[in-house]
Amino acid sequence: MPLFCDVALAVPLDMPFTYAIPPGMEPVVGGRVLVPFRQKRMSGVVVELHDRPPRVATKKVIEVLDLEPVLDKHLLKLGQWIADYYLAPIGEVFRAMLPLSAEFKRSVTYRITDEGRLALHLAGMSGSPSRSQRTPEQQLVEFRALDYLAERESTREERLRAATRVSKELLSGMVRKKWIAREDVSEAREAARVVKVAVLLAAEPPAEASPPPDGPEAGHGKTLAGRAAKRLNQNQRTLIEALAASGGRVPVDALRELDIPHTTLTTLVRRSLVNIVDEPQPLTASRLKPRQSPFEFEFSPAQRAALARIGEAVTARKFSGLLLHGITGSGKTAVYLAAMRAVLEHGRSAILLVPEIGLTPAVAADLHQVFGDEVAILHSGLSNAERAEQWHRIRRGEARAVAGTRSAVFAPVSDLALIIVDEEQDSSYKQEETPRYHARDVAVMRAKMAGAAVVLGSATPSLESYYNAKKNKYALLELPDRVEQRPLPEVEIVDMRKEFQETGQEQVISRKLAEEIRERLEKKEQVMILLNRRGYSPVVLCRACGKALQCKNCAVSMTHHKRERKMECHYCGHVEHIPDKCAHCGSEYVYFVGTGSEKLEELLHGMFPQARIGRLDRDTVRGREDFERALNALNEGALDMLVGTQMIAKGHDIHGVTLVGVIGADMALGLPDFRAAERTFQLLTQVAGRAGRGQSPGKVILQTYFQDHYAVQFAARHDFSGFYEKELQFRAWMHYPPYSAIANVLIRSEKLDDALTWSGELGRWFEKTRHEGIRVLGPAAAPITRLKRDYRYHFILKSPSREKMNALLRAMLAAAAARKIPRTQVIVDVDPVWLM
Ligand SMILES: [Zn+2]
Ligand SMILES: [Zn+2]
């Protein structure tokens, strides 16, 4: 065994740390160890084993947590790539890749194997085992441990060691000899929805297979059956009868009611009459009515062609990237599931990534329908323990199809053949904390490393992916038609400036939209209204001094929430009472300005008192279930109208909706962010796609103050390529992605002085450092100058060469460290999706 190991710890430092390996311990590369770090114990991932003594004194590894790697060599390499590409500390990258935080308080259990029983049996016959390098005392301890385990189900390590005084070393030796099996029982396993169930294997012990009975009955001249039955004592019989009466399967907990000692059950298990299995509880089934199976309808020629291309890419067993551009309602999901099923049929693995909001119980139900137990589903609603349990299922090879949000890209599948990224443009793929990776880009890199195919699917691909397809880096697959030839909805633009001139007042709902809503309601058709701003009023102003009520932690307005009677900051969550006078001048003339989704719902109730109206935003939706419940109500016709934020825009198939109203979806166009036009185009296209998915054609009313803006115009015409050509021109002129790599360097501190000093120092450093071909803008105050108590300044770097940009960023981090600027206060965001 090497003398030292280098361990990556989840701390904001860019290097691993060296620890000495005590004798008897056998850490593995890619496995975790527990080590002392600054008065604490931390777990980290071993990245290297070696014999090079470090220059400083080393501490020792406390415990080896994994006997086998939790990160195989592919995932280790992927982690290293992420660390380099996003300039993230390697230990923090590994932490993000491993959903095992719940396992700190895990326990290790052992159980005896058949070979162990045999060894015990042989030892009992011969008196002492032969050909052993262990001392007689050690052998004695080993057999004491085997004996102890033979009487029990799996046993925790602490209890086993306390009872038999067996050492860790001996236990490892016994595992190697396969006498015992070690299991890492995470809290995960205990807390996950797994129930121990007793399964009846046989009502009577077989006469021959069982060891000779130890009682005096042996040799009596009775029938075999009679003899066997007699060997069961009263308790054992009662238990077996109870099991038989309940169809042979009863949860162990339920057996407790029989008031029989637990040892009876263990005895029956030992005699192979009963088995105890972990039975996963069914995942919460969808409350949606079972949908038409994704495979029951005929695939269109375009779907078939896409499927065939994906199949070719998979069987080639080398990297290929495909961009699946399918308009809303064109049946992309069916293509995904069919492609994944084909991969599984070849014994290989596939990963499907979906945006946060995309993984509804309905989608989960589809996945279960297609893949049964072979699918693992990872979503944000899982507890740490459940997440860890899914992770183990994937690693054991029980689930070769994985579906999940961002971090599912790290799923430990083997023989990866296909990764699909659904709605690849969705911003939830970008992690907004260290490591700030983009799951789509990591998916592409993972596929490259694994020689797999990656499919990026979207109705509105990101500029980057579309550009890559144009440059032939990705093959472009098109699904140009909606399923069953349903037409795309007609889009009518309402110019809200004109509306104001003609009506003489600021309108929330234009006359045109009101008229269309009325018409639909009369025809018993359904309506969706998008207003991408939650709360009642987004601004509270004072008439006397003109000041707005700002969050005390952030430089943003507090939003009024009427029903919950509070003011809330949508950036940090800070809550305050509704003010009755101005905080600045004391005037009582405070008033509420603007409209959020809560107020919109109220307005619509006033206009259409007969209509049943539901609302979908982060205030009404706490989890996936609420989300689905609202959509379900719409689907079943229990609602006439659904109002909501962008949540309502994403990928739901509600057939009764024939009108979509869009209010203020162009607000983003006023923001100082180079992706504003792209986001607006995508949101408008997505929400428009909700209309007319059933028999009746759909219509969209698009209210805007920017009616001449190209994002609005192209979205209204469903002109995807028109928008992209125009937007690519703009990006090229401005040296923005995809023509340039960019990074946002944010300097933050709760102390304004620090933020100013540090950004000034780094500004001077950038000035005097030669960096050819890299533009450095800043320092400038960030668009949101204060957020979650931090004052914020930033630099934006643009460069056609990513290598040069990252080299400069690395040098900048070193310069910041030399100036004693804490690493946590300098945030480097490579390929940012959000510059605010
Ligand atoms: Zn005032
Ligand atoms: Zn705030």
Side-chain angles (χ1 to χ4, degrees), residues 548-561:
L549 176 65
Q550 283 209 330
C551 172
K552 65 174 191 175
N553 303 323
C554 313
V556 295
S557 287
M558 302 278 285
T559 297
H560 175 215
H561 288 253

Side-chain angles (χ1 to χ4, degrees), residues 371-642:
F371 300 111
D373 290 341
E374 277 201 287
V375 67
I377 297 181
L378 305 165
H379 59 78
S380 54
L382 295 180
S383 68
N384 286 343
E386 289 169 322
R387 194 172 285 276
E389 175 60 19
Q390 293 298 317
W391 187 91
H392 284 292
R393 279 187 62 222
I394 298 164
R395 209 168 86 95
R396 289 194 297 263
E398 292 167 19
R400 286 180 299 121
V402 177
T405 48
R406 192 170 58 226
S407 64
V409 73
F410 303 122
V413 296
S414 57
D415 199 5
L416 177 64
L418 174 66
I419 309 184
I420 296 168
V421 187
D422 185 28
E423 301 297 341
E424 60 90 26
Q425 84 293 344
D426 195 281
S427 60
S428 72
Y429 286 125
K430 172 79 172 177
Q431 172 144 305
E432 293 292 353
E433 57 189 62
T434 308
R436 293 167 183 265
Y437 68 93
H438 197 297
R440 174 198 60 216
D441 299 338
V442 173
V444 171
M445 185 46 67
R446 185 167 181 193
K448 269 184 189 158
M449 289 176 171
V454 64
V455 175
L456 310 180
S458 180
T460 52
S462 63
L463 259 284
E464 285 87 343
S465 297
Y466 182 72
Y467 179 76
N468 281 332
K470 294 212 66 158
K471 293 273 165 201
N472 292 321
K473 278 167 95 178
Y474 298 152
L476 184 62
L477 313 179
E478 301 260 10
L479 298 179
D481 300 309
R482 285 187 150 189
V483 291
E484 294 165 15
Q485 302 299 315
R486 286 174 202 140
L488 277 168
E490 173 203 343
V491 180
E492 184 172 338
I493 296 178
V494 175
D495 182 348
M496 293 305 282
R497 288 167 306 184
K498 224 163 126 201
E499 186 79 8
F500 174 69
Q501 286 159 10
E502 287 172 13
T503 61
Q505 50 181 314
E506 201 80 33
Q507 299 292 344
V508 175
I509 293 163
S510 64
R511 294 162 297 173
K512 178 68 187 166
L513 178 55
E515 177 195 318
E516 292 276 350
I517 293 173
R518 194 163 295 117
E519 220 172 86
R520 306 295 147 155
L521 293 177
E522 276 165 16
K523 283 198 273 180
K524 304 281 177 221
E525 292 174 359
Q526 291 173 312
V527 179
M528 264 192 189
I529 312 271
L530 171 87
L531 171 55
N532 201 14
R533 183 159 60 189
R534 66 191 176 93
Y536 195 83
S537 294
V539 180
V540 180
L541 278 177
C542 166
R543 275 185 210 279
C545 72
K547 287 196 170 132
L549 176 65
Q550 283 209 330
C551 172
K552 65 174 191 175
N553 303 323
C554 313
V556 295
S557 287
M558 302 278 285
T559 297
H560 175 215
H561 288 253
K562 190 179 178 188
R563 196 171 307 168
E564 294 175 34
R565 296 176 192 213
K566 65 176 185 186
M567 304 297 297
E568 186 193 313
C569 169
H570 287 181
Y571 286 83
C572 74
H574 174 66
V575 169
E576 274 182 32
H577 292 297
I578 297 169
D580 47 13
K581 50 181 184 274
C582 171
H584 303 282
C585 71
S587 152
E588 285 173 15
Y589 296 98
V590 288
Y591 67 115
F592 300 86
V593 191
T595 305
S597 50
E598 187 185 354
K599 186 169 172 184
L600 177 64
E601 183 190 1
E602 193 181 281
L603 265 169
L604 287 165
H605 270 302
M607 292 171 75
F608 307 102
Q610 310 301 328
R612 297 159 302 169
I613 304 175
R615 172 157 61 94
L616 204 57
D617 57 31
R618 269 195 14 239
D619 298 313
T620 60
V621 173
R622 301 286 173 202
R624 306 189 309 148
E625 311 284 329
D626 293 341
F627 181 62
E628 189 127 315
R629 197 170 305 129
L631 288 177
N632 203 10
L634 195 65
N635 215 12
E636 286 172 346
L639 288 177
D640 302 309
M641 212 186 304
L642 189 64

Side-chain angles (χ1 to χ4, degrees), residues 3-11 15-22 25 27 31-49 58-66 104 106:
L3 297 170
F4 301 100
C5 58
D6 287 353
V7 180
L9 294 169
V11 292
M15 72 289 198
F17 298 85
T18 303
Y19 288 89
I21 304 171
M25 280 195 196
R32 292 165 306 159
V33 288
L34 196 64
V35 293
F37 184 81
R38 292 182 184 160
Q39 334 298 336
K40 280 190 301 193
R41 290 147 63 100
M42 286 187 83
S43 90
V45 174
V46 176
V47 290
E48 199 190 340
L49 298 167
T58 51
K59 294 177 182 168
K60 285 186 200 142
V61 172
I62 300 169
E63 197 185 341
V64 174
L65 298 176
D66 302 302
F104 277 104
R106 83 215 162 101

Side-chain angles (χ1 to χ4, degrees), residues 313-367:
V314 166
T315 39
R317 285 191 180 252
K318 59 180 207 271
F319 170 72
S320 58
L322 304 105
L323 177 62
L324 178 63
H325 174 219
I327 61 165
T328 54
S330 60
K332 289 188 288 292
T333 308
V335 173
Y336 300 155
L337 297 186
M340 290 173 75
R341 196 170 60 172
V343 163
L344 259 66
E345 278 164 8
H346 285 90
R348 304 178 70 198
S349 304
I351 299 174
L352 169 65
L353 299 182
V354 292
E356 289 292 353
I357 201 92
L359 202 51
T360 59
V363 173
D366 281 353
L367 287 160

